[in-house]
């Protein structure tokens, strides 16, 4: 999903910067609010950043005979919310643009928009919807992470098709880029979903109280009467 | 019995990413990002800006990607181990009292 340095001409690269800016500003606001109000969530933020770091560094082989990498943002969106996830993604993307020549500074806005904004927002929306229809946490996290990953690449395809339509138009170009990205991404999205479930299960087991404070999950059977009985 | 569930999950992930290598060993396995880059270059587009710094070789690039993954894995491992240790210590205390 990394659009390479210099591959978005004027005015597109500026447009994506402008669109991404308010989300990043909101993310920074949320970040400072959470770290002030719930300082014990700080290790959790580091953990979510680390998960994005690992997954986005892994270039995995896929059925199409090419490689791609997962994003890792879906789990973070579920646990710490899409706003903070945008900031975490921004950090990873800057690291990759500066040190790996992967992605770029001029395409940062567009890449933040796909990986750090639409992906996490989709993941979060799916998670909330799964909770509404009372699917289990594992199913919710799996679907959120998998589709958050997949949609990131769909957004990249749209971004490139807007700038580089073929002679048959935007939709034809979208299919062209979509074939390159999205099909390769399907097994990776499933893999990311599974890994996200494993880490989420761990968090639910060991950090249940903190997740409840962050309103990610509700702790089972902790009625006020039982709480009182504990003490 | 719970750990068997996670072993199965991890096995699925490993098999899924090993399968393409087994069934299509002669494929190129180049990155989808560079495939898109190529598709754009084919239209005659010339990038107007190039990276300010590029890893001097494929090996150095691999090194930096490995460091990125290692840093993340280190934090995850530390967190998981720390929490498990904390829980184990608490469990010992409650059984003793």
């Amino acid at each position: 999903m990394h659009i390479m340095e210099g591959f978005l001409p004027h005015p597109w690269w500026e447009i994506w910067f402008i669109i991404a800016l308010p989300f990043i500003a909101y993310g920074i606001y949320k970040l400072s609010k959470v770290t002030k109000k719930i300082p014990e969530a700080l290790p959790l933020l580091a953990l979510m950043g680390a998960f994005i770091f690992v997954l986005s560094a892994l270039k995995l082989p896929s059925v199409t005979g090419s490689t791609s990498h997962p994003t890792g943002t879906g789990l973070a969106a579920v646990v710490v919310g899409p706003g903070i996830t945008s900031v975490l993604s921004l950090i990873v993307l800057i690291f990759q643009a500066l040190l790996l020549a992967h992605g770029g500074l001029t395409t940062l806005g567009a890449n933040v928009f796909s990986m750090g904004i639409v992906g996490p927002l989709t993941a979060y929306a799916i998670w909330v919807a799964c909770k509404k229809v009372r699917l289990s946490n594992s199913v919710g996290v799996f679907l959120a992470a998998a589709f958050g990953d997949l949609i990131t690449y769909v957004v990249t395809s749209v971004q490139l098709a807007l700038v580089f339509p073929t002679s048959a138009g935007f939709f034809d170009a979208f299919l062209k880029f979509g074939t390159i990205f999205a099909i390769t991404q399907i097994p990776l999205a499933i893999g990311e979903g599974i890994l996200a479930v494993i880490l989420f299960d761990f968090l639910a087991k060991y950090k249940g109280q903190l997740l409840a404070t962050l309103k990610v999950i509700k702790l089972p059977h902790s009625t006020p009467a039982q709480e009182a009985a504990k003490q | 019995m719970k750990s068997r569930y996670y072993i199965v999950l991890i096995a699925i992930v490993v098999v899924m990413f090993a399968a393409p290598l087994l069934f299509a060993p002669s494929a190129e396995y180049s990155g989808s990002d560079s495939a898109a880059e190529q598709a754009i270059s084919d239209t005659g587009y010339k990038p107007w800006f190039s990276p300010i710094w590029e890893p001097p070789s494929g090996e150095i690039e691999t090194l930096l990607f490995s460091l990125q993954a290692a840093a993340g894995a280190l934090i995850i491992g530390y967190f998981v181990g720390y929490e498990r240790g904390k829980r184990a210590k608490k469990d010992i205390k409650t059984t003793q009292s």
Side-chain angles (χ1 to χ4, degrees), chain A residues 4 6 9-10 22 32 52 58 65 88 90 107 131 151 169 182-183 207:
Chain A
M4 291 298 171
H10 169 80
S32 67
I52 297 174
L58 299 176
L88 296 175
L90 175 72
T107 52
K131 294 266 90 183
I151 205 79
I183 299 181
K207 286 268 150 199

Side-chain angles (χ1 to χ4, degrees), chain A residues 42-125:
Chain A
L42 214 57
L44 202 59
L45 295 174
L47 183 74
M48 292 300 109
F51 190 69
I52 297 174
F53 240 61
V54 176
L55 287 200
S56 63
L58 299 176
K59 296 182 175 177
L60 297 161
S62 179
V63 283
T64 48
S66 52
T67 57
S68 188
H69 61 87
T71 61
T73 54
L75 178 66
V78 168
V79 174
V80 295
I84 292 177
T85 307
S86 300
V87 182
L88 296 175
S89 307
L90 175 72
I91 296 168
V92 175
L93 286 168
I94 290 176
F95 172 84
Q96 291 181 328
L98 289 179
L99 290 179
L100 297 161
H102 205 65
L105 294 177
T106 61
T107 52
L108 193 61
N111 291 335
V112 164
F113 185 73
S114 62
M115 176 176 159
I117 294 169
V118 181
L121 277 178
T122 307
Y124 187 72

Side-chain angles (χ1 to χ4, degrees), chain A residues 93-176:
Chain A
L93 286 168
I94 290 176
F95 172 84
Q96 291 181 328
L98 289 179
L99 290 179
L100 297 161
H102 205 65
L105 294 177
T106 61
T107 52
L108 193 61
N111 291 335
V112 164
F113 185 73
S114 62
M115 176 176 159
I117 294 169
V118 181
L121 277 178
T122 307
Y124 187 72
I126 290 173
W127 165 254
V128 171
C130 286
K131 294 266 90 183
K132 275 261 159 65
V133 297
R134 291 166 188 245
L135 286 169
S136 76
N137 284 342
S138 295
V139 175
V141 169
F142 174 79
L143 292 176
F147 281 98
D149 179 321
L150 202 57
I151 205 79
T152 299
Y153 283 79
V154 174
V155 172
T156 306
S157 306
V158 171
Q159 288 172 326
L160 290 178
L162 282 171
V163 187
F164 303 102
T166 62
S167 48
F170 163 78
F171 197 69
D172 187 57
F174 172 66
L175 286 182
K176 181 178 81 177

Side-chain angles (χ1 to χ4, degrees), chain B residues 19-68:
Chain B
L21 298 176
L22 288 175
F23 292 110
S26 52
E28 269 185 45
Y29 293 109
S30 57
S32 60
D33 284 340
S34 30
E37 190 184 342
Q38 190 58 48
I40 295 166
S41 299
D42 288 347
T43 66
Y45 178 80
K46 294 267 177 292
W48 61 275
F49 197 78
S50 34
I52 29 183
W53 185 79
E54 268 184 84
S57 74
E59 281 73 15
I60 304 295
E61 189 183 339
T62 311
L63 168 73
L64 290 166
F65 266 111
S66 315
L67 281 176
Q68 185 191 331

